[in-house]
């Protein structure tokens, strides 16, 4: 991979990151199957969330005893599956994407092998903005524990703001692809890169959260609602 992307399922030359990932990633067999199937069968497999990022998220879910999760960007369902596996039996993941084709082709056949896990996930095939706005209109602000943002980059700041509104104090937001192959550091930025950079700046300066940005996977910005 070019740039600074070091997702563990791709070859790269950073031995330190390899060492960290080896001691961090702990995939459930269902996660391994879904990852392998995505990498083998989807032409845009680069969109698959890095397992090291998903492991970090699972640890946060367990740390804060989360039950309600927003999953913004479904793709093949790898992140939704990760969160469902980490939640208690009465946990709920609302996973959002405008396109369910990758999920239907690759993710559902794996996830539905375990009804106990599958029942925790509600897949929404529509604009994530519409889903988030409906949750807010339904009076669910301040009731969610965790949000994972990995969808269209131009809406990153919108996803962050709406997630923050829906989260409880102490809730966690993970914003994936926060470094975007290192392009956020370059002078000439395309629309997606500008949007990611703007979101990073917004999170860093937001008085309603505490945050940190780390170089893992394709970059991960972590925010905690105050």
């Amino acid at each position: 991979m070019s740039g600074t992307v070091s997702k563990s399922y791709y070859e790269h030359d950073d031995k330190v990151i390899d060492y960290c990932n080896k001691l961090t990633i702990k995939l459930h067999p269902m996660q391994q199957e879904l990852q392998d199937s995505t990498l083998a069968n989807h032409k845009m497999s680069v969109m698959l969330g890095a397992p090291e990022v998903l492991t970090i998220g699972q640890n946060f879910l367990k740390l804060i005893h989360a039950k309600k999760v927003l999953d913004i960007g479904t793709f093949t369902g790898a992140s939704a599956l990760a969160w469902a596996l980490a939640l208690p039996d009465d946990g709920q993941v609302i996973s959002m994407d405008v396109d369910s084709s990758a999920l239907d082709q690759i993710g559902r056949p794996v996830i539905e092998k375990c009804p106990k896990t599958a029942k925790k996930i509600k897949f929404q095939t529509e604009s994530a903005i519409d889903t988030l706005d409906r949750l807010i209109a339904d009076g669910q602000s301040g009731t969610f524990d965790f949000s994972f943002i990995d969808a269209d980059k131009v809406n990153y700041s919108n996803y962050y703001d709406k997630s923050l509104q829906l989260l409880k104090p102490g809730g966690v937001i993970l914003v994936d692809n926060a470094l975007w192959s290192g392009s956020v550091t370059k002078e000439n930025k395309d629309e997606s890169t500008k949007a990611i950079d703007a979101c990073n700046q917004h999170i860093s300066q937001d008085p309603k959260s505490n945050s940190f940005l780390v170089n893992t996977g394709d970059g991960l910005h972590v925010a905690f609602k105050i």
Side-chain angles (χ1 to χ4, degrees), residues 4 36 43 50 64 72 92 96-97 112-113 118-119 131 139-140 156 188 192 204 206 221 226:
T4 60
D36 291 346
K43 64 181 180 180
I64 65 175
I72 304 172
Q92 179 188 43
M96 313 159 217
D97 207 307
E112 291 179 354
K113 289 179 180 180
K119 73 176 184 179
T131 300
Q140 296 201 49
Y156 258 32
N188 296 320
S192 292
S204 179
D206 189 358
H221 212 150
I226 296 173

Side-chain angles (χ1 to χ4, degrees), residues 106-201:
I106 297 171
R108 285 191 193 275
V110 176
I111 295 169
E112 291 179 354
K113 289 179 180 180
C114 181
K116 180 179 178 180
T117 300
K119 73 176 184 179
K120 301 179 193 178
I121 308 172
K122 183 177 182 180
F123 291 111
Q124 299 276 23
T125 306
E126 64 176 354
S127 161
I129 294 292
D130 290 344
T131 300
L132 295 169
D133 282 343
R134 185 169 60 254
L135 292 170
I136 292 169
D138 287 346
Q140 296 201 49
S141 294
T143 67
F144 284 83
D145 303 292
F146 180 92
S147 178
F148 182 66
I149 300 173
D150 184 14
D152 58 301
K153 310 314 174 191
V154 294
N155 271 309
Y156 258 32
S157 290
N158 290 329
Y159 294 145
Y160 167 79
D161 287 336
K162 293 178 187 297
S163 292
L164 199 69
Q165 183 173 344
L166 286 162
L167 258 59
K168 301 174 181 177
V172 179
I173 299 175
L174 300 189
V175 181
D176 203 13
N177 303 119
L179 296 178
W180 206 227
S181 302
S183 59
V184 291
T185 65
K186 298 177 181 178
E187 290 187 8
N188 296 320
K189 299 178 176 67
D190 62 18
E191 185 179 18
S192 292
T193 307
K194 288 178 181 178
I196 294 170
D197 182 40
C199 184
N200 286 334
Q201 302 295 336

Side-chain angles (χ1 to χ4, degrees), residues 31 34 48-49 54 58 61 69-85 93 95 111 121 123 146 148 150 176:
Q31 289 181 272
L34 182 48
L48 180 68
L54 301 183
Q58 288 177 311
L61 290 174
V69 171
L70 300 166
D71 181 59
I72 304 172
T74 304
F75 190 40
T76 60
S79 55
L81 174 60
W83 316 145
L85 288 167
V93 179
S95 188
I111 295 169
I121 308 172
F123 291 111
F146 180 92
F148 182 66
D150 184 14
D176 203 13

Side-chain angles (χ1 to χ4, degrees), residues 20-33:
C20 292
N21 287 340
K22 182 178 179 180
L23 298 180
T24 296
I25 298 168
K26 297 176 177 65
L27 291 181
H28 185 279
M30 289 174 65
Q31 289 181 272
Q32 188 68 59
E33 182 180 358

